[in-house]
């Protein structure tokens, strides 16, 4: 097929290493069909999908249930296995079953999966370090937030801004620092999800200077919103970690510019509209969809001169491909080498409207925002899944596991003392 792309730009499809498609278990929020439809419409050709579903992707059975659900995918996907206090005996089976990365919740968030103790976390890192797969971290320290939330609730506090007060930047920074120490000790490769504060950048930078293989992402909402969002948008903005004050936002932009933050992911976290507007802020589910709006929002920043197009491609495709081993070993060293492509119109203007999004969760904090620069065609392995801003019918099931191409570098386990080696042997 010949595509007349006159006036358009051909980019590698985005690789979004942080999405929640809710299937199985919460399919009133999203499923693999609607989630990957949103991805295709957003110029995203590969997603890495999170394990906080029912049953959690923490056992071989949980993984099989996830793989069955993912058979509907329209774009390529990696699957996260969960690392918890209680499932370390399943890690080997999860690797053998084909997980592409692991997820560890250091603090509670949607799904209320318990966060492992530091002891269990060290063992988990040691086990995964033998395989070389990357461990993505929800880096928020559970015990700090639990105490602060309780104090706010006891005092009758209940405004959107109280969500931010319950999770100040120390919550994330303490967790990032601790994770980096454990990664250094074990040789585990780690990835810091949803970096929301300037404070997290220092431990990240220092760990990297010490040779720790740590990557990090931030998300469009942390780059585009600040504390005014709590008033202007209301409870819909509730997300973990929270959108923070302006100086944090500015530090995140600097972090993108100087390379401390490697990539942009969305933390696509759909919830039904009624779940985003409950009586008290503490009952409102955390997160919102993002996989369809990332590319238009960030291309708008390119149009405004905040980011170069080359940097955008590195942040949305090159860096995630490198961190998660998606470069084919032999062959072209560019993401999109197997024709995973977003064809974009950098001059096209649209307005974001929740009702027009393809996620089942028709709610977005970006409602009404004008964007300049949108994907008009998306190709996955050479096949159109979106064409002329419309989903291509019959593409359900075209998506494949990235296991086909994923090659992580050799594992480099290290610093493991004999006692710990004996415990986890
Ligand atoms: C995510 C979800 O809803 O699954 N929510 C969120 O606020 N980010 C979970 C998470 O990534 O922490
Ligand atoms: Zn998280
Ligand atoms: Zn998430």
């Amino acid at each position: 097929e010949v595509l007349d792309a006159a006036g358009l730009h051909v980019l590698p499809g985005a690789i979004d290493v942080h999405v929640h498609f809710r299937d199985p278990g919460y399919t009133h929020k999203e499923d693999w069909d609607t989630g990957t439809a949103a991805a295709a419409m957003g110029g995203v050709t590969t997603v890495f999908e999170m394990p906080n579903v029912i049953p959690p992707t923490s056992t071989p059975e949980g993984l099989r249930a996830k793989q069955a659900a993912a058979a509907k995918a329209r774009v390529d996907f990696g699957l996260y296995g969960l690392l918890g206090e209680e499932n370390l005996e399943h890690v080997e089976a999860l690797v053998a079953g084909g997980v592409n990365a692991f997820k560890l919740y250091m603090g509670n968030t949607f799904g209320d999966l318990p966060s492992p103790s530091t002891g269990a976390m060290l063992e988990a890192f040691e086990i995964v370090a033998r395989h070389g797969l990357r461990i993505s971290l929800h880096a928020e320290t559970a015990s700090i937030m639990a105490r602060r939330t309780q104090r706010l609730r006891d005092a009758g506090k209940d405004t959107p801004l109280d969500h931010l007060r319950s999770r100040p930047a120390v919550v994330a920074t303490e967790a990032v620092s601790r994770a980096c120490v454990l990664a250094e000790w074990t040789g585990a490769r780690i990835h810091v999800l949803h970096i929301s504060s300037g404070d997290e950048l220092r431990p990240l930078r220092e760990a990297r200077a010490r040779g720790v293989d740590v990557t990090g992402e931030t998300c469009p909402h942390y780059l585009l919103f600040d504390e005014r969002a709590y008033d202007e948008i209301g409870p819909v903005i509730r997300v973990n970690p929270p959108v923070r004050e302006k100086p944090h936002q500015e530090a995140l932009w600097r972090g993108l510019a100087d390379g401390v933050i490697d990539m942009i992911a969305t933390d696509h976290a759909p919830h039904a509209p009624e779940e985003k507007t409950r009586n008290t802020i503490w009952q409102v589910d955390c997160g919102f969809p993002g996989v369809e709006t990332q590319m238009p929002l960030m291309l708008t920043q390119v149009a405004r001169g905040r980011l170069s197009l080359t940097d955008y491609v590195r942040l949305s495709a090159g860096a995630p491909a490198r961190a998660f081993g998606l470069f084919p070993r032999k062959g072209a060293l560019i993401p999109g080498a197997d024709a995973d492509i977003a064809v974009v119109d950098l001059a096209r203007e649209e307005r974001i409207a929740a009702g027009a999004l393809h996620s089942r969760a028709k709610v977005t904090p970006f409602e009404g925002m004008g964007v300049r620069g949108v994907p008009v065609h998306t190709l996955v392995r050479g096949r159109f899944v979106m064409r002329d801003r419309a989903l291509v019918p019959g593409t359900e099931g075209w998506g494949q596991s990235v296991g086909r191409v994923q090659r992580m570098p050799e594992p480099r386990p290290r610093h493991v003392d004999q006692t710990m080696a004996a415990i986890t042997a």
Side-chain angles (χ1 to χ4, degrees):
E1 255 182 305
V2 175
L3 170 70
D4 182 355
L8 305 178
H9 282 68
V10 179
L11 310 183
I15 299 171
D16 187 342
V17 302
H18 188 169
V19 304
H20 302 263
F21 285 164
R22 311 301 194 200
D23 184 5
Y26 302 103
T27 50
H28 68 289
K29 296 175 190 279
E30 194 76 290
D31 65 28
W32 274 87
D33 182 12
T34 54
T36 57
M41 291 300 295
V44 176
T45 50
T46 301
V47 293
F48 275 58
E49 204 270 341
M50 288 291 171
N52 56 336
V53 291
I54 308 174
T57 318
S58 56
T59 63
E61 304 79 68
L63 177 58
R64 280 193 290 275
K66 177 67 72 72
Q67 285 163 332
K72 303 189 281 286
R74 294 167 190 266
V75 303
D76 286 350
F77 56 87
L79 298 179
Y80 279 105
L82 181 77
L83 291 176
E85 183 93 23
E86 304 297 338
N87 80 324
L88 297 187
E89 76 273 20
H90 294 308
V91 170
E92 304 290 340
L94 289 169
V95 172
V99 298
N100 305 98
F102 283 94
K103 168 71 175 285
L104 190 148
Y105 289 93
M106 297 178 75
N108 57 303
T109 180
F110 177 74
D112 262 327
L113 298 171
S115 30
S117 63
T118 305
M121 197 172 148
L122 178 62
E123 289 182 20
F125 276 27
E126 193 205 349
I127 296 167
V128 177
R130 292 184 207 131
H131 298 283
L133 292 180
R134 198 169 289 278
I135 303 170
S136 290
L137 300 160
H138 179 104
E140 288 193 299
T141 300
S143 61
I144 307 178
M145 333 190 261
R147 292 182 68 91
R148 292 190 65 100
T149 305
Q150 199 52 52
R151 284 181 184 281
L152 287 160
R153 297 185 72 151
D154 288 349
K157 303 288 189 198
D158 172 32
T159 70
L161 198 59
D162 291 312
H163 175 63
L164 171 56
R165 296 191 177 112
S166 71
R167 300 167 107 106
V170 64
V171 167
T173 310
E174 197 277 340
V176 171
S177 308
R178 185 153 41 96
C180 287
V181 170
L182 302 184
E184 182 168 25
W185 185 259
T186 56
R189 302 195 164 101
I190 60 171
H191 174 69
V192 181
L193 299 161
H194 44 43
I195 296 173
S196 60
S197 71
D199 297 272
E200 289 159 86
L201 303 182
R202 193 167 75 153
L204 204 59
R205 199 182 276 118
E206 290 173 352
R208 219 173 265 163
R210 297 197 305 274
V212 178
D213 186 342
V214 52
T215 56
E217 73 185 31
T218 190
C219 313
H221 43 281
Y222 303 116
L223 295 167
L224 301 177
F225 294 129
D226 58 37
E227 76 277 11
R228 288 170 300 177
Y230 292 92
D231 261 357
E232 290 168 4
I233 297 169
V236 166
I237 198 63
R238 187 178 195 213
V239 61
N240 299 329
V243 164
R244 301 190 186 283
E245 301 83 349
K246 194 81 184 169
H248 287 295
Q249 185 198 59
E250 288 163 355
L252 295 176
W253 277 103
R254 285 195 300 276
L256 286 181
D258 68 17
V260 197
I261 301 175
D262 301 85
M263 67 188 84
I264 290 170
T266 66
D267 193 5
H268 178 84
H271 299 286
E274 60 275 17
E275 295 166 334
K276 292 297 293 175
T277 50
R278 287 177 174 138
N279 286 343
T280 84
I281 192 65
W282 311 113
Q283 292 170 315
V284 169
D285 279 346
C286 297
F288 35 76
V291 76
E292 187 167 350
T293 47
Q294 179 273 116
M295 192 173 285
L297 289 168
M298 297 312 297
L299 289 179
T300 304
Q301 299 304 307
V302 172
R304 291 189 185 152
R306 195 100 205 244
L307 198 64
S308 74
L309 191 57
T310 309
D311 283 343
Y312 171 68
V313 166
R314 172 176 51 80
L315 293 165
S316 63
R322 193 168 300 110
F324 289 85
L326 302 189
F327 287 105
R329 284 279 93 172
K330 303 196 178 72
L333 281 180
I334 50 163
D338 56 358
D340 292 341
I341 288 170
V343 182
V344 304
D345 182 344
L346 294 178
R348 180 164 171 153
E349 300 193 351
E350 286 186 5
R351 197 162 287 285
I352 292 177
L357 296 178
H358 290 69
S359 171
R360 184 159 292 146
K362 305 285 185 220
V363 57
T364 171
F366 302 109
E367 181 70 40
M369 273 191 168
V371 293
R372 181 183 174 87
V374 293
V376 288
H377 313 294
T378 306
L379 295 94
V380 174
R381 279 173 285 107
R383 179 172 176 188
F384 285 94
V385 291
M386 180 204 20
R387 185 153 201 174
D388 296 317
R389 296 291 296 138
L391 209 54
V392 177
T395 50
E396 313 87 322
W398 177 246
Q400 287 188 2
S401 161
V402 297
R404 202 172 40 85
V405 295
Q406 189 184 30
R407 298 285 179 278
M408 293 299 286
E410 283 306 298
R412 294 185 302 145
R414 59 181 186 167
H415 280 230
V416 179
D417 74 9
Q418 294 308 308
T419 317
M420 188 55 74
I423 290 171
T424 59

